[in-house]
Amino acid sequence: MTTSLAGTGNDAATMGAPIEKRPLERYVAPAKPSLVGLSRAALAEALGRIGVPERQRRMRVQQIWHWLYVRGVQDFDAMTTLSKELRAELDRHFTLARPEIVAEQVSVDGTRKWLLRLPGEAADRPHDVECVYIPETDRGTLCVSSQVGCTLNCSFCHTGTQRLVRNLTPGEIVGQVVLARDRLNDWQRAAAPAGTDPEKRLVSNVVLMGMGEPLYNFEAVRDALAVVADGDGLSLSKRRITLSSSGVVPNIVRAGAEIGSMLAISLHAVTDELRNELVPLNRKYPLRELLEACRNYPGLSNARRITFEYVMLKGVNDSLADARALVRLIKGIPAKINLIPFNPWPGTTYECSDWEQIEKFSEIVFDAGYASPVRTPRGRDILAACGQLKSATEKLSARERLALRAMAMTD
Ligand code: SAH
Ligand code: SF4
């Protein structure tokens, strides 16, 4: 099993709602597809289809790769190392399209949120996903979506209450990184000559913490991250890419072997009883199996730790006994614990823990030897914080959307 849901935990769903949802739509490729996000092999194949002789393909792929991912060009005509004829031929059959930005919001803290429009199975029913850029003093993190909606239905997560619509393609995932570089004018900084500090680039880190469960879209995420990490292209080291999962155990094992990024696990509870309620996938892959997979994740060390995410829910999972149980549970795993203040959304019955309680909880974790940063909610004014994605777009009126769209086009 990877993304197939045949014979899923729905069989075991005698205890409540189904664990997993099924995609409602397939991706339908446009007549003129984009080259953004193709692997080198797929790019070579695409060139073959338009008649580029086999002996030339490797070199052409290398050249196009450079234009796409080092120079960030958006037009075949700018690919000046290719002959005019080849550029025209490419233009006839392909595009360099990124996902379409329909709105851009900039928070007072500098966080930017892009609302992206992706094609739907029916041309008149496109889908929206969001992508968030979070600037910090020592890094700039891009929070990327992997699905329209989410396969799972964690009870505290707004995305989880929505229907799953479809998986993103590798092109749509890579496209988010590419469009962030476009919008932030980051290409020149990112391509700074050898010897200069590559961390001056604005997009220095990528986290798969947007909409969706990345490990239910395994192949696309794997292939996209290979492009993002490619040293001759976007060149983000795997240590700067973090994949966050709610615990799809078999695919955590695969991710260790086939992706090799950093791993974050949405833990949120220390007993199976509570986790079954918060993260229903736990009924399929209980804590013991999840922690075993974490323990065996390849390459862990003090410099390469697993991040355990823990959302702070008032009176639900935030007792000091929970904090002590948490450190016992992860004993022996090189880890840091990321405490996330719960971000409420319309209709939720959960509340965020009191600040004092979060501090006490954090102290216990810290005293046990774990870094336990409390994730400062970023971009709250534009509803870009964890678990708020998508709700924002539903809240915008048509008029607000139009205004934002106009803003995105003019600045
Ligand atoms: N599906 C993946 C990645 C996306 S969610 C996962 O679950 O790991 C990124 C993080 O935000 C997860 O830890 C998720 O549990 C958390 N989250 C979801 N809804 C939230 C909310 N309303 N408030 C705070 N954190 C939330
Ligand atoms: Fe999906 Fe993650 Fe939200 Fe759970 S927390 S519903 S896995 S996006």
Side-chain angles (χ1 to χ4, degrees), residues 113-284:
K113 186 173 75 175
W114 293 290
L115 172 65
L116 307 178
R117 178 143 304 166
L118 305 176
E121 216 172 79
D124 60 343
R125 273 191 288 113
H127 308 300
D128 292 346
V129 294
E130 287 170 342
C131 176
V132 178
Y133 173 69
I134 307 158
E136 290 174 272
T137 39
D138 62 335
R139 70 185 70 182
T141 303
L142 190 71
C143 180
V144 166
S145 291
S146 57
Q147 298 185 306
V148 180
C150 180
T151 308
L152 299 171
N153 45 21
C154 303
S155 56
F156 56 90
C157 172
H158 192 239
T159 312
T161 64
Q162 290 152 17
R163 297 186 317 162
L164 171 60
V165 183
R166 72 166 169 84
N167 284 325
L168 266 56
T169 65
E172 291 168 335
I173 298 170
V174 175
Q176 295 172 62
V177 181
V178 168
L179 74 81
R181 287 235 160 116
D182 295 341
R183 286 299 296 157
L184 297 167
N185 277 326
D186 199 25
W187 289 108
Q188 259 189 335
R189 266 182 295 258
T196 48
D197 181 1
E199 299 329 329
K200 293 254 160 50
R201 50 170 79 169
L202 295 179
V203 179
S204 64
N205 293 50
V206 166
V207 294
L208 278 114
M209 294 186 185
M211 283 177 93
E213 166 51 59
L215 292 186
Y216 271 103
N217 185 12
F218 186 88
E219 282 84 1
V221 165
R222 176 196 60 199
D223 296 351
L225 293 183
V227 175
V228 173
D230 187 290
D232 292 326
L234 292 168
S235 203
L236 279 152
S237 102
K238 287 184 179 171
R239 302 182 59 123
R240 291 181 171 275
I241 302 175
T242 303
L243 187 155
S244 174
S245 174
S246 56
V248 191
V249 167
N251 286 354
I252 291 175
V253 179
R254 278 190 81 191
E258 298 176 37
I259 300 178
S261 64
M262 305 296 280
L263 186 64
I265 296 293
S266 294
L267 193 64
H268 307 319
V270 292
T271 64
D272 280 322
E273 197 190 353
L274 180 59
R275 198 162 188 272
N276 287 346
E277 198 183 306
L278 299 179
V279 185
L281 181 68
N282 193 72
R283 305 205 304 258
K284 191 169 180 183

Side-chain angles (χ1 to χ4, degrees), residues 288-309:
R288 197 183 47 75
E289 289 177 29
L290 174 58
L291 292 164
E292 180 70 9
C294 291
R295 234 174 268 285
N296 294 332
Y297 194 72
L300 291 186
S301 68
N302 275 344
R304 225 177 101 87
R305 296 165 193 251
I306 290 189
T307 302
F308 288 100
E309 297 161 282

Side-chain angles (χ1 to χ4, degrees), residues 105-118:
Q105 286 172 280
V106 185
S107 159
V108 287
D109 68 16
T111 300
R112 276 171 191 247
K113 186 173 75 175
W114 293 290
L115 172 65
L116 307 178
R117 178 143 304 166
L118 305 176

Side-chain angles (χ1 to χ4, degrees), residues 385-407:
C386 302
Q388 292 186 311
L389 297 188
K390 183 70 182 170
S391 54
T393 55
E394 285 176 351
K395 277 184 158 178
L396 290 181
S397 68
R399 177 186 289 190
E400 284 169 317
R401 278 194 190 201
L402 265 177
L404 285 163
R405 193 171 188 168
M407 197 176 89

Side-chain angles (χ1 to χ4, degrees), residues 35-57:
L35 295 183
V36 173
L38 295 187
S39 66
R40 286 167 190 275
L43 196 50
E45 220 177 274
L47 294 180
R49 284 202 302 276
I50 63 164
V52 175
E54 195 170 351
R55 60 176 192 287
Q56 283 186 18
R57 279 182 218 158

